[in-house]
Amino acid sequence: MPLDVLLGLQWGDEGKGKVVDVFSPHYDIVARFQGGPNAGHTIIFDNQKFVLHLIPSGIFHPGVDCVIGNGVVIDPVTLRREIEQLEAVGKSVKDHLLISKRAHLILPTHKLLDAASEQAKGDQKIGSTLRGIGPTYMDKTGRNGLRVGDLLEPDFAERYAFLVNKHKQLLENNYEFEYDLSEVEPAFLEAVEYLRGLKLINSEYFLNQALKEGKKVLAEGAQGTLLDIDFGSYPFVTSSSTTAAGACIGLGVSPRQIDRVYGIFKAYCTRVGSGPFPTELHDEVGEKIRQAGGEFGATTGRPRRTGWIDLPLLRYAIQLNGVTDLIMTKADVLSIMPEIQACDRYKIGDTETNEVPYDLSSAFQPLHTSLPGWQEDVTAIDNPEELPQNLKDYISYLEKELEVPMTYLSVGPGRKQFLKMGK
Ligand code: GDP
Ligand code: IMO
Ligand code: MG
């Protein structure tokens, strides 16, 4: 079966973009299945750094078709900018970028609603990226949304005006929020025109036909399992299904097509935005990891919160996704630590448990096992045999605790800093 899925097992930013880029030469198609420009997927090669928000991370491989699936929400302004920026540095994009007609459109008023909602929530705010994600998915499930395919219909302008009007009423009746739509609308309407000229397709047919022909497809997740709308740390989550099941919904492929499920995680843990984070470090150790790992959001630039690896949460994510292969990134960042902590269970009242509580914000204590650090630069190692023994032991410990093999290890942001482990 030729459909593999790669997704994040934590709160996003695990290094999905880097790994999808490295895997891409082995695939015919890379397809994003959910999320939108809230994502920031970083790819670094030839001393250049690219951050992709909507374009699938296979785009730097001209022979690979890149599909933005029906489960994604698209901001035409961001997409246009992203395409133009890549083309300006000589990358071919438009000839191998395909967009589902069923993908929903983020309107300027969705972004205003996102900002108004966050402002009204005060210190209960989600910490949204303010890219309009929540309001757009709300219109999708509320059956009011506009889709990419609607751009090709003669009544698009009227439908757009109707929805914008509804949003204006929502803004005026529910929020004390000042806005000026005339500042943002012209760029949106121009970008809509631009979007009409791209390859807009029925991507579910395209993908199923490709699979029938034996082509290999990699489904690229955005965000991470702990931000999933159903299983994440609700309500501090995003508005889409970030799990392997989301790949089926967001691409129109059957679960029976899925072969490997690559679950990617950092050697420690980060979170950007609000919400519970049991193993968070509020001390200088957390700050050291933030600096060493360059833990600042790829989309918003916000500092990422940092903490130790959380095994109950990883086990939970592995179970939800049916992960077949683990990929650990940022092993190099922990080189600074003489000692590493791994949270392997929680203490709730007098009881110790491996299970993730219903409410992650409730009172419980993460219990840690301490492991010796490796304190050695690993960024140039290209043979797993040569890894420091303490890092090998950390990997064996994680494999035993998580009951899934570690198939790949990332030891730096570059394409070459990626090791296939001996399994
Ligand atoms: P994504 O959203 O999952 O694609 O991840 P981001 O791009 O938001 O954040 C991951 C960051 O870590 C990026 O700056 C990557 O360049 C970087 N990165 C990826 N893998 C590694 C690694 O193994 N080591 C280090 N030091 N950085 C990495
Ligand atoms: P990638 O794909 C990390 C977080 C936001 C916020 C919450 C809701 O790069 O891993 P939203 O804008 O979706 O309404 O925000 O989700 N968030 C991410 N955190 N990586 C991401 O994407 C994220 N996308 C959203 O910070 O807490
Ligand atoms: Mg990111």
Side-chain angles (χ1 to χ4, degrees), residues 345-388:
R345 62 210 188 282
Y346 298 148
K347 191 169 178 196
I348 308 179
D350 291 331
T351 318
E352 287 189 14
T353 177
N354 279 323
E355 215 171 289
V356 174
Y358 161 72
D359 181 2
L360 211 54
S361 305
S362 57
F364 65 87
Q365 194 191 344
L367 298 179
H368 295 94
T369 289
S370 176
L371 296 110
W374 40 94
Q375 294 198 280
E376 196 182 312
D377 182 1
V378 294
T379 54
I381 295 179
D382 57 4
N383 175 358
E385 293 296 318
E386 289 163 17
L387 291 169

Side-chain angles (χ1 to χ4, degrees), residues 262-323:
Y262 293 99
I264 180 165
F265 65 100
K266 288 180 188 174
Y268 47 95
C269 197
T270 65
R271 168 162 211 176
V272 60
S274 340
F277 182 174
T279 59
E280 183 167 13
L281 288 162
H282 298 281
D283 56 7
E284 68 278 10
V285 177
E287 183 57 33
K288 254 174 110 173
I289 295 177
R290 181 176 309 111
Q291 294 304 333
E295 296 297 354
F296 298 89
T299 297
T300 58
R302 292 178 290 178
R304 294 178 184 143
R305 299 154 65 192
T306 53
W308 296 119
I309 201 160
D310 186 325
L311 300 180
L313 281 174
L314 275 180
R315 286 187 204 108
Y316 185 64
I318 286 166
Q319 166 178 287
L320 290 168
N321 291 302
V323 171

Side-chain angles (χ1 to χ4, degrees), residues 111-370:
K111 288 191 265 187
L112 295 173
L113 282 164
D114 208 357
S117 161
E118 284 287 83
Q119 182 183 290
K121 282 187 170 149
D123 54 4
Q124 289 303 304
K125 70 173 185 196
I126 309 294
S128 152
T129 60
L130 304 179
R131 299 303 189 266
I133 306 298
T136 306
Y137 278 113
M138 278 165 77
D139 270 342
K140 176 178 178 176
T141 50
R143 295 157 299 177
N144 294 314
L146 287 175
R147 299 184 291 174
V148 167
D150 296 335
L151 295 174
L152 308 174
E153 300 295 325
D155 62 348
F156 177 76
E158 290 93 79
R159 291 173 65 184
Y160 169 74
F162 183 80
L163 190 53
V164 168
N165 224 5
K166 202 172 163 138
H167 291 161
K168 281 183 180 166
Q169 284 175 24
L170 271 172
L171 283 164
E172 275 143 39
N173 297 338
N174 296 287
Y175 302 103
E176 280 178 34
F177 184 78
E178 297 208 355
Y179 65 92
D180 182 2
L181 192 54
S182 67
E183 266 183 19
V184 279
E185 201 169 42
F188 173 80
L189 296 173
E190 274 174 35
V192 154
E193 205 46 55
Y194 179 86
L195 191 50
R196 282 196 183 103
L198 301 179
K199 292 186 179 178
L200 312 182
I201 62 162
N202 290 328
S203 57
E204 64 279 25
Y205 275 106
F206 177 80
L207 290 167
N208 280 294
Q209 185 58 34
L211 289 167
K212 217 183 235 176
E213 289 167 11
K215 291 191 173 154
K216 289 201 75 186
V217 180
L218 179 62
E220 174 182 3
Q223 290 78 56
T225 304
L226 306 179
L227 288 169
D228 181 78
I229 183 69
D230 280 273
F231 301 106
S233 45
Y234 194 88
F236 300 100
V237 294
T238 191
S239 299
S240 64
S241 296
T242 60
T243 57
C248 297
I249 298 165
L251 297 175
V253 292
S254 149
R256 292 169 57 205
Q257 305 271 16
I258 296 179
D259 184 15
R260 313 307 296 177
V261 178
Y262 293 99
I264 180 165
F265 65 100
K266 288 180 188 174
Y268 47 95
C269 197
T270 65
R271 168 162 211 176
V272 60
S274 340
F277 182 174
T279 59
E280 183 167 13
L281 288 162
H282 298 281
D283 56 7
E284 68 278 10
V285 177
E287 183 57 33
K288 254 174 110 173
I289 295 177
R290 181 176 309 111
Q291 294 304 333
E295 296 297 354
F296 298 89
T299 297
T300 58
R302 292 178 290 178
R304 294 178 184 143
R305 299 154 65 192
T306 53
W308 296 119
I309 201 160
D310 186 325
L311 300 180
L313 281 174
L314 275 180
R315 286 187 204 108
Y316 185 64
I318 286 166
Q319 166 178 287
L320 290 168
N321 291 302
V323 171
T324 58
D325 301 77
L326 291 171
I327 302 173
M328 184 166 84
T329 58
K330 301 213 159 187
D332 53 304
V333 175
L334 285 191
S335 294
I336 54 165
M337 302 306 304
E339 196 177 315
I340 290 158
Q341 307 287 331
C343 163
D344 51 7
R345 62 210 188 282
Y346 298 148
K347 191 169 178 196
I348 308 179
D350 291 331
T351 318
E352 287 189 14
T353 177
N354 279 323
E355 215 171 289
V356 174
Y358 161 72
D359 181 2
L360 211 54
S361 305
S362 57
F364 65 87
Q365 194 191 344
L367 298 179
H368 295 94
T369 289
S370 176

Side-chain angles (χ1 to χ4, degrees), residues 3-174:
L3 175 76
D4 298 336
V5 182
L6 183 141
L7 46 76
L9 298 179
Q10 296 165 319
W11 279 288
D13 302 332
E14 297 90 349
K16 298 176 290 294
K18 170 198 158 148
V19 177
V20 169
D21 171 64
V22 171
F23 278 4
S24 289
H26 304 291
Y27 290 89
D28 300 292
I29 299 170
V30 173
R32 269 277 303 270
F33 59 87
Q34 45 67 236
N38 48 349
H41 295 181
T42 314
I43 298 164
I44 297 174
F45 58 91
D46 298 344
N47 293 319
Q48 285 176 295
K49 174 174 161 175
F50 300 94
V51 180
L52 302 174
H53 302 286
L54 277 163
I55 296 177
S57 301
I59 202 71
F60 300 108
H61 303 271
V64 175
D65 280 329
C66 289
V67 175
I68 301 182
N70 56 280
V72 176
V73 290
I74 298 178
D75 180 344
V77 180
T78 310
L79 182 59
R80 179 189 183 170
R81 191 186 316 125
E82 212 167 302
I83 295 171
E84 288 181 346
Q85 281 173 354
L86 291 178
E87 290 191 337
V89 291
K91 306 294 171 201
S92 74
V93 179
K94 277 189 274 190
D95 58 326
H96 65 128
L97 178 68
L98 308 152
I99 302 164
S100 169
K101 285 189 190 170
R102 292 180 189 274
H104 278 244
L105 292 171
I106 303 177
L107 273 44
T109 40
H110 283 129
K111 288 191 265 187
L112 295 173
L113 282 164
D114 208 357
S117 161
E118 284 287 83
Q119 182 183 290
K121 282 187 170 149
D123 54 4
Q124 289 303 304
K125 70 173 185 196
I126 309 294
S128 152
T129 60
L130 304 179
R131 299 303 189 266
I133 306 298
T136 306
Y137 278 113
M138 278 165 77
D139 270 342
K140 176 178 178 176
T141 50
R143 295 157 299 177
N144 294 314
L146 287 175
R147 299 184 291 174
V148 167
D150 296 335
L151 295 174
L152 308 174
E153 300 295 325
D155 62 348
F156 177 76
E158 290 93 79
R159 291 173 65 184
Y160 169 74
F162 183 80
L163 190 53
V164 168
N165 224 5
K166 202 172 163 138
H167 291 161
K168 281 183 180 166
Q169 284 175 24
L170 271 172
L171 283 164
E172 275 143 39
N173 297 338
N174 296 287

